[in-house]
Amino acid sequence: MKSNHLRQKPKSEEERFAQRLQQVKNTYLIGADEKNLAPRITAKSWIIVDSQSGDILYSFNENQRREIASITKIMTFYVVLHMCRTMNVQTNNTYAEVSLQASLVGGTTADLLKGDVISIEDLFYGLMLPSGNDAAMTLAENFGIYAMYQNKIKGKNPLIYFIQEMNNKARELQMTQTTYANPHGLNNKNNVSSAHDVSKLCNQLLKDEFFRKVVNTKIHFSTIQDEEGFTRDVIWENTNKLLYQGFKGIKTGNTSVAGPCLASYYQTASRSFTIVILGCRNQEDRWSETMQLLQWCLSQIQ
């Protein structure tokens, strides 16, 4: 005898993710006696800061130096944005060409090819939404050349010059635990920062309207011209799932050494918070743990 069983339609990834976050909201605080206890977090270090004042609200191992994966790209954005403003570069009608080295860098990608010509504005989106290592390299190489020309500097490798500028900006922002070794965040023992330092950089950039717009964008469309002169349209989707849960950006990261990382920005009617978690146990934990920290923080300041 065969028995028929009713089967429910499998939940989509988005539905499963939303359900998981709702479970976090409902269960991370068991009772009133535990209200003041921070939630159990697998991240090796984390911090919650006031986005406007920079004051540390809550933290754990916030000054621990760690590799930070694609969180690195936040500084790449900052350096390029500063150069654009300093040199009066119009990002929507200034273009960069993708080198062979940039197209072959590997890892997460904006699907750029050798010889592609793309606007600087679109490269910002390709850097931050799909976390394009190719976009990071293209920006670093081109702005390294441009800055050297403007400053009449000769005999240096443009990429090395750009990385030096990343480290100069880190010092200016008093990011004392930070050194950069590349513009994209792929594994490198010398490419390190801390949760506290990342929060300083995030808060500095959150003052900028264009940065807030880019990191809060879910999907971006771009038209790219290839080396033969033909154009193609590309679509970049933001890797940050928390954009669908009320957060306003900022950046994801993940490598085998750094582990899953996330820098996030959240606003209420009267407050704003920057949350950075580094070295989570797995990819999904960075979403749920950021939500846990936010919900717990809000419960403490009410």
Side-chain angles (χ1 to χ4, degrees), residues 25-38:
K25 293 179 184 179
N26 293 340
T27 66
Y28 80 93
L29 287 178
I30 298 174
D33 292 340
E34 298 190 10
K35 183 177 180 180
N36 295 320
L37 297 178

Side-chain angles (χ1 to χ4, degrees), residues 80-290:
V80 173
L81 186 65
H82 182 266
M83 288 181 175
C84 287
R85 301 280 166 77
T86 301
M87 297 182 286
N88 296 315
V89 175
Q90 301 299 313
T91 60
N92 63 333
N93 58 16
T94 303
Y95 296 81
E97 183 172 336
V98 179
S99 71
L100 177 63
Q101 181 183 8
S103 69
L104 297 177
V105 67
T108 51
T109 178
D111 296 321
L112 303 180
L113 305 174
K114 174 186 173 296
D116 281 351
V117 176
I118 181 173
S119 74
I120 304 305
E121 182 170 308
D122 280 343
L123 279 170
F124 277 124
Y125 285 94
L127 176 74
M128 301 301 280
L129 273 64
S131 196
N133 295 333
D134 44 6
M137 284 290 288
T138 300
L139 287 168
E141 289 174 344
N142 281 272
F143 276 87
I145 294 171
Y146 195 36
M148 287 172 60
Y149 174 78
Q150 290 290 316
N151 296 318
K152 300 180 180 179
I153 296 173
K154 297 180 180 180
K156 282 192 175 182
N157 180 299
L159 180 59
I160 293 175
Y161 180 80
F162 185 89
I163 294 168
Q164 288 175 345
E165 288 300 300
M166 294 173 71
N167 285 304
N168 289 339
K169 290 302 178 190
R171 284 191 290 271
E172 288 178 13
L173 295 174
Q174 298 183 351
M175 297 169 64
T176 58
Q177 305 301 319
T178 300
T179 58
Y180 293 105
N182 60 53
H184 41 62
L186 290 175
N187 290 340
N188 188 308
K189 64 181 181 180
N190 297 316
N191 198 83
V192 296
S193 189
S194 68
H196 190 194
D197 279 2
V198 171
S199 72
K200 293 178 183 179
L201 176 59
C202 290
N203 286 350
Q204 180 67 25
L205 270 167
L206 284 168
K207 299 174 185 177
D208 188 89
E209 182 180 0
F210 177 64
F211 175 78
R212 295 196 306 272
K213 176 184 176 183
V214 171
V215 298
N216 193 33
T217 298
K218 297 181 178 72
I219 296 175
H220 180 76
F221 299 86
S222 174
T223 299
I224 300 173
Q225 178 179 297
D226 67 20
E227 61 182 347
E228 301 296 329
F230 297 100
T231 60
R232 69 180 187 278
D233 295 327
V234 296
I235 302 173
W236 294 319
E237 185 174 359
N238 204 314
T239 57
N240 190 349
K241 292 183 179 181
L242 291 186
L243 292 180
Y244 297 91
Q245 299 297 326
F247 285 75
K248 306 295 184 181
I250 300 167
K251 187 73 189 75
T252 61
N254 183 41
T255 64
S256 59
V257 176
C261 306
L262 183 63
S264 302
Y265 176 57
Y266 188 87
Q267 284 181 302
T268 68
S270 58
R271 299 286 297 272
S272 57
F273 306 94
T274 303
I275 303 174
V276 180
I277 58 174
L278 303 177
C280 290
R281 179 175 53 191
N282 58 53
Q283 295 249 41
E284 292 304 312
D285 280 350
R286 60 182 170 177
W287 317 121
S288 60
E289 292 185 358
T290 295

Side-chain angles (χ1 to χ4, degrees), residues 2-27:
K2 295 183 179 179
S3 60
N4 295 323
H5 299 279
L6 294 177
R7 296 184 179 181
Q8 292 183 335
K9 181 180 179 181
K11 290 185 171 64
S12 67
E13 181 180 356
E14 291 78 11
E15 290 172 326
R16 290 196 301 271
F17 178 66
Q19 184 180 48
R20 171 60 181 148
L21 289 181
Q22 187 59 50
Q23 290 171 348
V24 167
K25 293 179 184 179
N26 293 340
T27 66

